[in-house]
Coordinates of all heavy atoms in Angstrom, one line a residue:
I328 N 16.7 -3.1 -27.6 CA 16.6 -2.2 -26.5 C 17.8 -2.3 -25.6 O 18.2 -3.4 -25.3 CB 15.3 -2.7 -25.6 CG1 14.1 -2.5 -26.5 CG2 15.2 -1.8 -24.4 CD1 12.8 -3.0 -25.8
L329 N 18.4 -1.2 -25.3 CA 19.6 -1.2 -24.4 C 19.2 -1.2 -23.0 O 18.5 -0.2 -22.5 CB 20.4 0.1 -24.8 CG 21.7 0.2 -24.1 CD1 22.6 -0.9 -24.4 CD2 22.3 1.6 -24.4
L330 N 19.5 -2.2 -22.3 CA 19.1 -2.4 -20.9 C 20.1 -1.7 -19.9 O 19.7 -1.3 -18.8 CB 18.9 -3.8 -20.5 CG 17.8 -4.6 -21.3 CD1 17.8 -6.0 -20.9 CD2 16.5 -3.9 -21.1
V331 N 21.3 -1.6 -20.3 CA 22.3 -1.1 -19.4 C 22.9 0.2 -20.1 O 23.4 0.1 -21.2 CB 23.5 -2.1 -19.2 CG1 24.6 -1.5 -18.3 CG2 22.9 -3.3 -18.5
R332 N 22.8 1.3 -19.4 CA 23.4 2.5 -19.9 C 24.9 2.5 -20.0 O 25.5 1.7 -19.3 CB 23.0 3.7 -19.1 CG 21.5 4.0 -19.1 CD 21.2 5.2 -18.2 NE 21.9 5.0 -16.9 CZ 21.6 5.8 -15.9 NH1 20.7 6.7 -15.9 NH2 22.3 5.6 -14.7
D333 N 25.5 3.3 -20.9 CA 26.9 3.2 -21.1 C 27.7 4.1 -20.1 O 28.9 4.0 -20.0 CB 27.3 3.7 -22.5 CG 27.3 2.5 -23.4 OD1 27.4 1.4 -23.0 OD2 27.4 2.8 -24.7
D334 N 27.1 4.9 -19.3 CA 27.8 5.8 -18.4 C 28.4 5.0 -17.3 O 27.9 3.9 -16.8 CB 27.0 6.9 -17.9 CG 25.8 6.5 -17.1 OD1 25.6 5.3 -16.9 OD2 25.1 7.4 -16.6
A335 N 29.6 5.4 -16.7 CA 30.3 4.7 -15.7 C 29.7 4.7 -14.4 O 30.0 3.9 -13.5 CB 31.7 5.3 -15.6
S336 N 28.7 5.6 -14.2 CA 28.0 5.7 -12.9 C 26.9 4.7 -12.7 O 26.3 4.6 -11.6 CB 27.5 7.1 -12.6 OG 26.5 7.3 -13.6
N337 N 26.7 3.9 -13.7 CA 25.6 2.9 -13.7 C 25.9 1.7 -12.7 O 26.9 1.1 -12.9 CB 25.3 2.3 -15.1 CG 24.2 1.4 -15.2 OD1 23.6 1.0 -14.1 ND2 23.8 1.0 -16.4
P338 N 25.1 1.5 -11.7 CA 25.4 0.4 -10.7 C 25.5 -1.0 -11.4 O 26.4 -1.8 -10.9 CB 24.2 0.5 -9.7 CG 23.6 1.8 -9.9 CD 23.9 2.2 -11.3
A339 N 24.7 -1.3 -12.3 CA 24.8 -2.6 -13.0 C 26.1 -2.8 -13.7 O 26.7 -3.8 -13.6 CB 23.6 -2.7 -14.0
R340 N 26.6 -1.7 -14.4 CA 27.9 -1.8 -15.1 C 29.0 -2.0 -14.1 O 30.0 -2.7 -14.3 CB 28.1 -0.6 -15.9 CG 29.4 -0.7 -16.7 CD 29.5 0.2 -17.9 NE 28.5 0.0 -18.9 CZ 28.4 -0.9 -19.8 NH1 29.4 -1.7 -19.9 NH2 27.5 -0.9 -20.7
K341 N 28.9 -1.3 -12.9 CA 30.0 -1.4 -11.9 C 30.0 -2.8 -11.3 O 31.0 -3.4 -11.1 CB 29.7 -0.4 -10.8 CG 30.0 1.0 -11.1 CD 29.8 1.9 -9.9 CE 30.1 3.4 -10.3 NZ 29.9 4.3 -9.1
M342 N 28.8 -3.4 -11.1 CA 28.8 -4.7 -10.6 C 29.3 -5.7 -11.6 O 30.1 -6.6 -11.2 CB 27.3 -5.1 -10.3 CG 27.2 -6.4 -9.6 SD 28.0 -6.5 -8.0 CE 27.0 -7.7 -7.2
M343 N 29.0 -5.6 -12.9 CA 29.5 -6.5 -13.9 C 31.0 -6.4 -14.0 O 31.7 -7.4 -14.1 CB 28.9 -6.2 -15.3 CG 27.4 -6.6 -15.4 SD 26.7 -6.5 -17.0 CE 26.9 -4.8 -17.3
S344 N 31.5 -5.1 -13.9 CA 33.0 -4.9 -13.9 C 33.7 -5.6 -12.7 O 34.7 -6.2 -12.9 CB 33.3 -3.4 -14.0 OG 34.6 -3.2 -13.9
F345 N 33.1 -5.4 -11.6 CA 33.6 -6.0 -10.4 C 33.7 -7.6 -10.5 O 34.7 -8.2 -10.1 CB 32.8 -5.6 -9.1 CG 33.2 -6.4 -7.9 CD1 34.4 -6.1 -7.2 CD2 32.4 -7.4 -7.4 CE1 34.8 -6.8 -6.1 CE2 32.8 -8.1 -6.3 CZ 34.0 -7.8 -5.6
L346 N 32.6 -8.2 -10.9 CA 32.5 -9.6 -11.1 C 33.5 -10.1 -12.1 O 34.1 -11.2 -11.9 CB 31.1 -10.1 -11.4 CG 30.1 -9.8 -10.2 CD1 28.7 -10.1 -10.7 CD2 30.5 -10.5 -9.0
T347 N 33.7 -9.4 -13.2 CA 34.7 -9.8 -14.2 C 36.1 -9.7 -13.6 O 36.9 -10.7 -13.8 CB 34.6 -8.8 -15.4 OG1 33.3 -8.9 -16.0 CG2 35.6 -9.2 -16.5
R348 N 36.4 -8.7 -12.8 CA 37.7 -8.6 -12.2 C 37.9 -9.7 -11.2 O 39.0 -10.2 -11.0 CB 37.9 -7.2 -11.5 CG 38.1 -6.1 -12.5 CD 38.5 -4.8 -11.7 NE 37.5 -4.7 -10.6 CZ 36.9 -3.6 -10.3 NH1 37.0 -2.5 -11.0 NH2 36.1 -3.6 -9.2
L349 N 36.8 -10.1 -10.5 CA 36.9 -11.1 -9.5 C 37.3 -12.5 -10.2 O 38.1 -13.2 -9.7 CB 35.6 -11.2 -8.7 CG 35.6 -12.2 -7.5 CD1 36.6 -11.8 -6.5 CD2 34.2 -12.2 -6.9
S350 N 36.6 -12.8 -11.3 CA 36.9 -14.0 -12.0 C 38.3 -14.0 -12.5 O 39.0 -15.0 -12.5 CB 35.9 -14.1 -13.2 OG 34.6 -14.4 -12.8
L351 N 38.7 -12.9 -13.1 CA 40.1 -12.8 -13.6 C 41.1 -12.9 -12.5 O 42.2 -13.4 -12.7 CB 40.3 -11.5 -14.5 CG 39.4 -11.5 -15.7 CD1 39.6 -10.2 -16.5 CD2 39.8 -12.7 -16.6
W352 N 40.8 -12.3 -11.3 CA 41.8 -12.4 -10.2 C 42.0 -13.9 -9.8 O 43.1 -14.3 -9.6 CB 41.2 -11.6 -9.0 CG 41.9 -11.9 -7.7 CD1 43.2 -11.5 -7.4 CD2 41.5 -12.8 -6.7 NE1 43.5 -12.0 -6.1 CE2 42.5 -12.9 -5.7 CE3 40.4 -13.6 -6.5 CZ2 42.4 -13.6 -4.5 CZ3 40.3 -14.4 -5.4 CH2 41.3 -14.4 -4.4
L353 N 40.9 -14.6 -9.7 CA 41.0 -16.0 -9.3 C 41.7 -16.8 -10.4 O 42.6 -17.6 -10.1 CB 39.6 -16.6 -9.1 CG 39.6 -18.1 -8.7 CD1 40.5 -18.4 -7.5 CD2 38.2 -18.6 -8.5
A354 N 41.4 -16.6 -11.6 CA 42.2 -17.3 -12.7 C 43.7 -17.0 -12.7 O 44.5 -17.9 -12.8 CB 41.6 -16.9 -14.1
T355 N 44.0 -15.7 -12.4 CA 45.4 -15.3 -12.3 C 46.1 -16.0 -11.1 O 47.2 -16.5 -11.2 CB 45.5 -13.8 -12.1 OG1 44.9 -13.2 -13.2 CG2 47.0 -13.4 -12.0
E356 N 45.4 -16.1 -10.0 CA 45.9 -16.8 -8.8 C 46.2 -18.3 -9.1 O 47.2 -18.8 -8.7 CB 45.0 -16.6 -7.6 CG 44.9 -15.2 -7.0 CD 46.3 -14.8 -6.4 OE1 46.9 -15.7 -5.7 OE2 46.7 -13.7 -6.6
L357 N 45.2 -18.9 -9.8 CA 45.4 -20.3 -10.1 C 46.5 -20.6 -11.0 O 47.2 -21.6 -10.9 CB 44.1 -20.9 -10.6 CG 42.9 -21.0 -9.6 CD1 41.6 -21.4 -10.4 CD2 43.2 -22.0 -8.6
L358 N 46.7 -19.7 -12.0 CA 47.7 -19.9 -13.0 C 49.1 -19.5 -12.6 O 50.1 -20.0 -13.2 CB 47.3 -19.1 -14.3 CG 46.0 -19.6 -15.0 CD1 45.6 -18.7 -16.1 CD2 46.2 -21.0 -15.5
T359 N 49.2 -18.6 -11.6 CA 50.5 -18.2 -11.2 C 51.0 -18.8 -9.9 O 52.1 -18.5 -9.4 CB 50.6 -16.7 -11.0 OG1 49.6 -16.3 -10.0 CG2 50.3 -15.9 -12.3
C360 N 50.2 -19.8 -9.3 CA 50.7 -20.5 -8.2 C 51.9 -21.3 -8.5 O 52.0 -21.9 -9.6 CB 49.6 -21.5 -7.7 SG 48.4 -20.8 -6.6
P361 N 52.8 -21.5 -7.5 CA 53.9 -22.4 -7.7 C 53.5 -23.8 -7.8 O 52.3 -24.1 -8.1 CB 54.8 -22.2 -6.5 CG 54.3 -20.9 -5.8 CD 52.9 -20.7 -6.3
P362 N 54.3 -24.8 -7.6 CA 54.1 -26.2 -7.9 C 52.7 -26.8 -7.5 O 52.0 -26.2 -6.7 CB 55.2 -26.9 -7.1 CG 56.2 -25.9 -6.9 CD 55.5 -24.6 -6.9
T363 N 52.5 -28.0 -8.0 CA 51.2 -28.6 -7.9 C 50.7 -28.9 -6.5 O 49.6 -28.6 -6.2 CB 51.2 -29.9 -8.7 OG1 51.6 -29.7 -10.0 CG2 49.8 -30.6 -8.7
K364 N 51.6 -29.3 -5.6 CA 51.2 -29.6 -4.2 C 50.7 -28.4 -3.6 O 49.7 -28.4 -2.9 CB 52.4 -30.2 -3.4 CG 52.7 -31.6 -3.8 CD 53.8 -32.1 -2.8 CE 54.1 -33.6 -3.2 NZ 55.2 -34.1 -2.4
F365 N 51.4 -27.2 -3.7 CA 50.9 -26.0 -3.2 C 49.6 -25.6 -3.8 O 48.7 -25.1 -3.1 CB 51.9 -24.9 -3.4 CG 51.5 -23.5 -2.9 CD1 51.4 -23.3 -1.5 CD2 51.1 -22.6 -3.7 CE1 51.0 -22.1 -1.0 CE2 50.7 -21.3 -3.3 CZ 50.6 -21.1 -1.9
K366 N 49.5 -25.7 -5.1 CA 48.2 -25.3 -5.8 C 47.0 -26.1 -5.3 O 46.0 -25.6 -5.1 CB 48.4 -25.5 -7.3 CG 47.4 -24.9 -8.1 CD 47.6 -25.0 -9.6 CE 48.9 -24.3 -9.9 NZ 49.2 -24.2 -11.3
D367 N 47.2 -27.4 -5.1 CA 46.1 -28.3 -4.6 C 45.7 -27.8 -3.2 O 44.5 -27.7 -3.0 CB 46.5 -29.7 -4.5 CG 46.7 -30.3 -5.9 OD1 46.2 -29.8 -6.9 OD2 47.4 -31.4 -6.0
G368 N 46.6 -27.5 -2.3 CA 46.3 -27.1 -1.0 C 45.6 -25.7 -1.0 O 44.7 -25.4 -0.3
Y369 N 46.1 -24.8 -1.9 CA 45.6 -23.5 -2.1 C 44.1 -23.5 -2.5 O 43.3 -22.9 -1.9 CB 46.4 -22.7 -3.1 CG 46.1 -21.3 -3.3 CD1 46.3 -20.3 -2.3 CD2 45.4 -20.9 -4.5 CE1 46.0 -19.0 -2.5 CE2 45.1 -19.6 -4.7 CZ 45.4 -18.6 -3.7 OH 45.1 -17.3 -3.9
V370 N 43.8 -24.4 -3.5 CA 42.5 -24.5 -4.0 C 41.6 -25.1 -2.9 O 40.5 -24.6 -2.6 CB 42.4 -25.3 -5.3 CG1 41.0 -25.7 -5.6 CG2 43.1 -24.6 -6.4
E371 N 42.0 -26.2 -2.3 CA 41.2 -26.8 -1.3 C 40.9 -26.0 -0.1 O 39.8 -25.9 0.4 CB 41.8 -28.2 -0.9 CG 41.8 -29.2 -1.9 CD 42.5 -30.5 -1.5 OE1 42.7 -30.6 -0.3 OE2 42.8 -31.3 -2.4
H372 N 41.9 -25.4 0.5 CA 41.8 -24.7 1.8 C 41.3 -23.2 1.7 O 40.5 -22.8 2.5 CB 43.1 -24.8 2.6 CG 43.4 -26.2 2.9 ND1 42.7 -26.9 3.8 CD2 44.4 -27.0 2.4 CE1 43.2 -28.1 3.9 NE2 44.2 -28.2 3.1
F373 N 41.8 -22.5 0.7 CA 41.5 -21.1 0.6 C 40.3 -20.8 -0.3 O 39.3 -20.2 0.1 CB 42.7 -20.3 0.2 CG 42.4 -18.8 0.0 CD1 42.1 -18.0 1.1 CD2 42.4 -18.3 -1.3 CE1 41.8 -16.7 0.9 CE2 42.1 -17.0 -1.5 CZ 41.8 -16.2 -0.4
L374 N 40.4 -21.2 -1.5 CA 39.4 -20.8 -2.5 C 38.1 -21.5 -2.3 O 37.0 -20.9 -2.3 CB 39.9 -21.1 -3.9 CG 41.2 -20.4 -4.3 CD1 41.6 -20.8 -5.7 CD2 40.9 -18.9 -4.3
I375 N 38.1 -22.8 -1.9 CA 36.8 -23.5 -1.6 C 36.2 -22.9 -0.4 O 35.0 -22.6 -0.3 CB 37.0 -25.0 -1.5 CG1 37.6 -25.6 -2.8 CG2 35.7 -25.7 -1.1 CD1 36.8 -25.3 -4.0
A376 N 37.0 -22.6 0.6 CA 36.5 -21.9 1.9 C 35.9 -20.6 1.5 O 34.8 -20.2 2.1 CB 37.6 -21.8 2.9
L377 N 36.6 -19.8 0.7 CA 36.1 -18.5 0.3 C 34.7 -18.6 -0.4 O 33.8 -17.9 -0.1 CB 37.1 -17.8 -0.6 CG 36.7 -16.4 -1.2 CD1 36.4 -15.4 -0.1 CD2 37.7 -15.9 -2.2
I378 N 34.6 -19.6 -1.3 CA 33.4 -19.8 -2.1 C 32.2 -20.2 -1.1 O 31.1 -19.7 -1.2 CB 33.5 -20.8 -3.2 CG1 34.4 -20.2 -4.3 CG2 32.2 -21.2 -3.8 CD1 34.9 -21.2 -5.4
L379 N 32.6 -21.1 -0.2 CA 31.6 -21.5 0.8 C 31.1 -20.4 1.7 O 29.9 -20.2 2.1 CB 32.1 -22.7 1.6 CG 32.2 -24.0 0.9 CD1 32.9 -25.0 1.8 CD2 30.9 -24.5 0.4
D380 N 32.1 -19.5 2.1 CA 31.7 -18.4 3.0 C 30.8 -17.4 2.2 O 29.8 -16.9 2.8 CB 33.0 -17.6 3.4 CG 33.7 -18.4 4.5 OD1 33.1 -19.3 5.1 OD2 34.9 -18.1 4.8
L381 N 31.1 -17.1 1.0 CA 30.3 -16.3 0.1 C 28.9 -16.9 -0.1 O 27.9 -16.2 0.0 CB 30.9 -16.0 -1.2 CG 32.2 -15.1 -1.2 CD1 32.9 -15.1 -2.5 CD2 31.8 -13.7 -0.8
F382 N 28.8 -18.2 -0.2 CA 27.6 -18.9 -0.3 C 26.7 -18.7 0.9 O 25.5 -18.5 0.9 CB 27.8 -20.3 -0.7 CG 26.5 -21.1 -1.0 CD1 25.9 -21.0 -2.2 CD2 25.9 -21.9 0.0 CE1 24.7 -21.6 -2.5 CE2 24.8 -22.6 -0.3 CZ 24.2 -22.5 -1.5
E383 N 27.4 -18.9 2.1 CA 26.7 -18.7 3.4 C 26.2 -17.3 3.5 O 25.1 -17.0 4.2 CB 27.6 -19.1 4.5 CG 27.8 -20.5 4.7 CD 28.8 -20.9 5.8 OE1 29.1 -20.0 6.6 OE2 29.2 -22.1 5.8
L384 N 26.9 -16.3 3.0 CA 26.5 -14.9 3.0 C 25.4 -14.6 2.0 O 25.0 -13.4 1.9 CB 27.7 -14.0 2.9 CG 28.7 -14.0 4.0 CD1 29.9 -13.2 3.6 CD2 28.1 -13.4 5.3
R385 N 25.1 -15.6 1.2 CA 24.1 -15.5 0.1 C 24.5 -14.4 -1.0 O 23.7 -13.7 -1.6 CB 22.7 -15.1 0.6 CG 22.2 -16.2 1.6 CD 20.8 -15.9 2.0 NE 20.4 -16.7 3.1 CZ 19.9 -17.9 3.0 NH1 19.8 -18.5 1.8 NH2 19.5 -18.6 4.1
N386 N 25.9 -14.4 -1.2 CA 26.4 -13.5 -2.2 C 26.6 -14.4 -3.5 O 27.7 -14.8 -3.8 CB 27.7 -12.9 -1.8 CG 28.2 -11.8 -2.7 OD1 27.8 -11.7 -3.9 ND2 29.2 -11.0 -2.3
M387 N 25.5 -14.7 -4.1 CA 25.5 -15.6 -5.2 C 26.2 -15.1 -6.5 O 26.8 -15.9 -7.2 CB 24.1 -16.0 -5.6 CG 23.3 -16.7 -4.5 SD 24.2 -18.1 -3.9 CE 23.4 -18.4 -2.3
A388 N 26.2 -13.8 -6.6 CA 26.9 -13.2 -7.8 C 28.4 -13.5 -7.7 O 29.1 -13.8 -8.6 CB 26.6 -11.7 -7.9
A389 N 29.0 -13.3 -6.5 CA 30.4 -13.5 -6.3 C 30.7 -15.0 -6.4 O 31.8 -15.4 -6.9 CB 30.9 -12.9 -4.9
V390 N 29.8 -15.8 -5.8 CA 30.0 -17.3 -5.9 C 30.1 -17.7 -7.4 O 31.0 -18.4 -7.8 CB 28.9 -18.1 -5.2 CG1 29.0 -19.5 -5.5 CG2 29.0 -17.8 -3.7
F391 N 29.1 -17.2 -8.2 CA 29.1 -17.5 -9.6 C 30.3 -17.0 -10.3 O 30.9 -17.7 -11.2 CB 27.8 -16.9 -10.2 CG 27.7 -17.3 -11.7 CD1 27.3 -18.5 -12.0 CD2 27.9 -16.3 -12.7 CE1 27.2 -18.9 -13.4 CE2 27.7 -16.6 -14.0 CZ 27.4 -17.9 -14.3
A392 N 30.8 -15.8 -9.9 CA 32.0 -15.2 -10.6 C 33.2 -16.1 -10.3 O 34.1 -16.4 -11.2 CB 32.3 -13.8 -10.1
L393 N 33.4 -16.6 -9.0 CA 34.5 -17.4 -8.7 C 34.4 -18.8 -9.3 O 35.4 -19.3 -9.8 CB 34.6 -17.6 -7.2 CG 35.0 -16.3 -6.5 CD1 35.0 -16.5 -5.0 CD2 36.3 -15.7 -6.9
V394 N 33.2 -19.4 -9.4 CA 33.1 -20.7 -10.0 C 33.3 -20.6 -11.5 O 33.9 -21.4 -12.2 CB 31.7 -21.3 -9.7 CG1 31.4 -22.5 -10.5 CG2 31.6 -21.6 -8.2
T395 N 32.9 -19.4 -12.1 CA 33.1 -19.2 -13.5 C 34.6 -19.1 -13.9 O 35.0 -19.5 -15.0 CB 32.4 -17.9 -14.0 OG1 31.0 -18.0 -13.7 CG2 32.6 -17.6 -15.4
A396 N 35.4 -18.7 -12.9 CA 36.9 -18.6 -13.2 C 37.5 -20.0 -13.5 O 38.4 -20.1 -14.2 CB 37.6 -18.0 -12.0
F397 N 36.9 -21.0 -12.9 CA 37.4 -22.4 -13.1 C 37.1 -22.8 -14.5 O 37.7 -23.8 -15.0 CB 36.8 -23.4 -12.1 CG 37.3 -23.2 -10.7 CD1 36.6 -22.6 -9.7 CD2 38.6 -23.7 -10.4 CE1 37.2 -22.4 -8.5 CE2 39.1 -23.6 -9.1 CZ 38.4 -23.0 -8.2
A398 N 36.1 -22.2 -15.2 CA 35.7 -22.6 -16.6 C 36.5 -21.8 -17.6 O 36.3 -22.1 -18.8 CB 34.2 -22.4 -16.7
L399 N 37.3 -20.8 -17.2 CA 38.0 -20.0 -18.2 C 39.0 -20.9 -18.9 O 39.5 -21.9 -18.3 CB 38.7 -18.9 -17.5 CG 37.9 -17.8 -17.0 CD1 38.7 -16.7 -16.2 CD2 37.1 -17.1 -18.1
G400 N 39.3 -20.7 -20.2 CA 40.1 -21.5 -21.0 C 41.4 -21.9 -20.4 O 41.7 -23.1 -20.3
P401 N 42.3 -21.0 -20.0 CA 43.6 -21.4 -19.5 C 43.5 -22.2 -18.2 O 44.3 -23.2 -18.0 CB 44.3 -20.0 -19.2 CG 43.6 -19.0 -20.0 CD 42.2 -19.5 -20.2
V402 N 42.6 -21.9 -17.3 CA 42.4 -22.7 -16.1 C 41.9 -24.1 -16.4 O 42.3 -25.1 -15.9 CB 41.4 -22.0 -15.1 CG1 41.2 -22.8 -13.9 CG2 42.0 -20.6 -14.7
D403 N 41.0 -24.2 -17.3 CA 40.4 -25.5 -17.8 C 41.5 -26.3 -18.4 O 41.6 -27.5 -18.1 CB 39.3 -25.3 -18.7 CG 38.5 -26.5 -19.0 OD1 38.2 -27.3 -18.1 OD2 38.2 -26.8 -20.2
R404 N 42.4 -25.8 -19.2 CA 43.5 -26.5 -19.8 C 44.5 -27.0 -18.7 O 45.0 -28.1 -18.8 CB 44.2 -25.7 -20.8 CG 43.4 -25.6 -22.1 CD 44.2 -25.0 -23.2 NE 44.7 -23.6 -23.0 CZ 44.0 -22.5 -23.3 NH1 42.8 -22.6 -23.8 NH2 44.5 -21.3 -23.0
L405 N 44.7 -26.1 -17.7 CA 45.6 -26.5 -16.6 C 45.0 -27.7 -15.8 O 45.7 -28.6 -15.5 CB 45.7 -25.3 -15.7 CG 46.6 -25.5 -14.4 CD1 48.1 -25.6 -14.9 CD2 46.5 -24.3 -13.5
V406 N 43.7 -27.7 -15.6 CA 43.1 -28.8 -14.9 C 43.1 -30.1 -15.7 O 43.4 -31.2 -15.2 CB 41.6 -28.4 -14.5 CG1 40.8 -29.7 -14.0 CG2 41.5 -27.3 -13.5
Q407 N 42.9 -30.0 -17.0 CA 43.0 -31.2 -17.9 C 44.4 -31.7 -18.0 O 44.6 -32.9 -18.0 CB 42.5 -30.8 -19.3 CG 41.0 -30.6 -19.3 CD 40.5 -30.1 -20.7 OE1 41.3 -30.1 -21.6 NE2 39.2 -29.8 -20.8
A408 N 45.4 -30.8 -17.9 CA 46.8 -31.3 -18.0 C 47.3 -31.9 -16.7 O 48.2 -32.7 -16.7 CB 47.7 -30.1 -18.4
G409 N 46.7 -31.4 -15.6 CA 47.2 -31.9 -14.3 C 46.5 -33.2 -13.9 O 46.9 -33.9 -13.1

């Protein structure tokens, strides 16, 4: 059974597309940051604050999308190497 229609006007498809772009945006930001000291501060001060603000707004889908970005392959390898 097909639960999500294929047309572009479907709200569920738009939401999935937005959350995918959000995860990829965060992964791109983490991977293209300059040196490690800046990256540590960036993650601690900006991204964690963003996730906490979204959590307070009860936007769990966006929180999940941002947390999922940390589990993407390239980001995970970066964390393991650092």
Side-chain angles (χ1 to χ4, degrees):
I328 298 174
L329 184 62
L330 299 176
V331 178
R332 296 180 310 192
D333 268 346
D334 61 1
S336 64
N337 186 352
R340 183 160 305 276
K341 286 181 180 180
M342 184 66 154
M343 288 187 302
S344 174
F345 171 74
L346 294 174
T347 300
R348 285 188 317 230
L349 188 61
S350 291
L351 294 177
W352 167 78
L353 178 55
T355 302
E356 288 295 316
L357 289 172
L358 294 171
T359 58
C360 271
T363 306
K364 285 185 181 178
F365 176 74
K366 192 177 296 185
D367 291 342
Y369 183 74
V370 169
E371 287 177 16
H372 296 288
F373 174 71
L374 297 176
I375 302 302
L377 177 62
I378 291 171
L379 290 175
D380 287 343
L381 289 169
F382 186 78
E383 288 177 10
L384 293 171
R385 298 185 194 277
N386 190 345
M387 299 305 161
V390 169
F391 184 73
L393 293 176
V394 170
T395 300
F397 287 102
L399 292 175
V402 177
D403 190 44
R404 286 191 297 271
L405 180 69
V406 170
Q407 289 176 3

